[in-house]
Amino acid sequence: MLRLPCPYCGLRDEPEFAFGGPSHIIRPTLEATDAQWTAYLFNRDNPLGVHYERWAHAYGCGQWFNVARHTATHEILAVYRMGDPKPALEAGAAR
Amino acid sequence: MQGYSLWQVVGQALRGNKGWQPAWRDPTPKSGYDVIVIGGGGHGLATAYYLAKKHGIRRVAVLEKGWIGGGNSGRNTQVVRSNYFYPASSAFYDHSLKLYEGLTRELNFNIMLSQRGQIALAHSEHELEINRRWANAVRMNGIDAEVLSPADIQKIVPIINLNSRFPVVGGFIQRRAGISRHDAVVWGYARAANALGVDIIQNCEVTGFDLKDGRVRGVTTSRGNFAADRVVMSVAGHASVLAQRAGFVLPITTMALQAMVTEPLKPVLNTLVMSGAIHAYVSQSDRGEIVIGGGADVYNSYAQRGGLPAMHVTIGAVLELFPSFSRLRLMRQWAGRVDVSPDTTAIMGRTPVEGLYINCGWGTGGYKAIPAGGDTMAHTVATGTPHPLIARFGLDRFGAGALIDEGAAAGVAH
C-alpha cells in the first residue's frame, strides 16, 4: 500500500487516490509529423527508476498534483503542484 | 537427450535413481551466435526451440538475467484459452492452444494440460448481451464457445453463489480452455532446445547493444560480449529498459499483476471461473490450491510485489462468488511485472534497429501465448518476414492506427 502526501490534506492511504499516468507529456503542435504524433499518443518512458506522475486525491479534496516516485522501491521522492516543472532530483536520490 | 517415459522411471528406480542427467547443460558461452534471444522465459525459450527445430538455426543462445522461468513464466495463473474477440487475436491464440494440446508429446515433457473449460460470467442483462456477442464472435472465428444459463453454470460449478451482490445472470464457456503447469512448459522447452544445441546461459544480464549503422551486431552482458546479427528481445516487463539501451521508446507501461493461492483442499472447483465485471478469476490447481487472480495495480511498477488495495478488490470479488472460500487461508501472494500495451495486444516483429526483433506487450496474458509466440517469432527471425499470424502485431500499427483493441475482449478488463 502506498501512502501519498497530498499537498492539501497530508499523508493518506492509497485507496483515497486515483492514478493519472505520467506527467509532463507535451501535446505537439499541429505541424507535428506522424512520428511525433504517434510518439505523443502512445510512447511512454516507462522508467525503471524515478517516474513523474499525476495523482488525484479522489476521495479527499479532489485536487490533482504531481509525484516523483521510484517504480521499484515506490519511494516518494517529491510532491509538487500541477503545472510546476519537474523537480531536479539529485542523482542517486533513488537507486 | 535422456527420454522421459514409464520405462525410464522404472529403470532408474531399480538403479537407485542415480542415472538421471541434468535436463540442460550449463554451457560456456561462445563468442558469437547466429541468433541471441534475450530473456529465458517461456517465450524466449520457445523461440529458441522453434528456431532450432523448424528452421535449423542451432547456433542460438538464450540469455537470462536470473534463472529461467523466474519471471512472469513462473508467476502467472497457468490459464490457456483462445476465446478472443478479433479474428487476428483468435487465430493467433487458437494456434497457441493447438500447440499446447500437442506439447507434452512434442517436448517429451508432461505439461499437465487440463482442458477443464473456462466460464466467463455475466452479472447483468447488458453484460450477458455482450457475452453473447463475444461467444458468437469466437464461434465465427471457428473456436468453440457455448452460452450458459445460470442453471447450466450452477450445474458445472455447484459451489458458486449466483445470488451474489451482482447476481450471475449467465455466461459462456470455452470447453477447450484450461490450465497447465507453467514450470513444466519452461523446463520442457529448455530441455528440448538444449538437446538441439541451444545454449541456455543464466545469470547473464544484457547491459547494452553493439550497434553499427543502425544494425545490431551483438550484445554486451555481465558475462562478456557476444556477437550476433539477429537478436530477439523477449523480456516482458523490462522491454522499455532494454529498448532504451537500443535507442528507441516503446508504447509499453510496466505494472504489477498479482496472483495468490490458498491452502490446498480437496477438489471443489473443476473449471476456471472468470468475471470481467467484478474483476477476478479462480481455478483449483492439481495440488488443491485455489488459484486467484484479478486486476493489476493501477500505477507503474517494476516491483515483483503488489499492493494490498488491488488484492483486497480481488479477494472481495472472489468471496462474493464463493462464500465458502472465506474459511481458507492464503498461503502465498506474489506479483509479476507485466508489459501492458495501449491496445492490450502484443507487439511482435521488427524494431527501428535492423536485426533487432521484439516480442513484448503481452501484458496480463502472455502465458497462453507461449507456444505460438515462440513459433511465430522463430519464423519471423529465420525468414526475415513476419509470420502471417503476427503480421498485424507489429510496432508500426500504432502510427498506422491499426490497433487491435482486445482491452474489452481479452477476458478480464485491463
Side-chain angles (χ1 to χ4, degrees), chain B residues 9-22:
Chain B
V9 170
V10 172
Q12 294 289 353
L14 292 174
R15 279 172 280 144
N17 281 312
K18 294 206 171 74
W20 293 110
Q21 295 159 9

Side-chain angles (χ1 to χ4, degrees), chain B residues 2 9 15 22 26 43 45 82 87 103 133-134 144 162-163 177 240 259 263 265-266 277 287 334 338 355 392 404:
Chain B
Q2 190 176 35
V9 170
R15 279 172 280 144
D26 182 16
H43 279 271
L45 291 163
S82 60
L103 203 57
R133 174 170 175 261
W134 181 5
D144 68 298
L162 297 178
N163 300 310
S240 297
E263 58 192 319
L265 58 158
K266 290 194 173 176
R287 286 180 290 199
W334 65 91
V338 295
R392 293 192 52 200
I404 307 168

Side-chain angles (χ1 to χ4, degrees), chain B residues 77-100:
Chain B
T77 49
Q78 314 194 121
V79 176
V80 296
R81 59 185 178 87
S82 60
N83 49 359
Y84 279 74
F85 186 83
Y86 290 106
S89 308
S90 59
F92 177 88
Y93 285 104
D94 210 49
H95 179 55
S96 208
L97 186 52
K98 282 176 182 151
L99 289 174
Y100 263 126

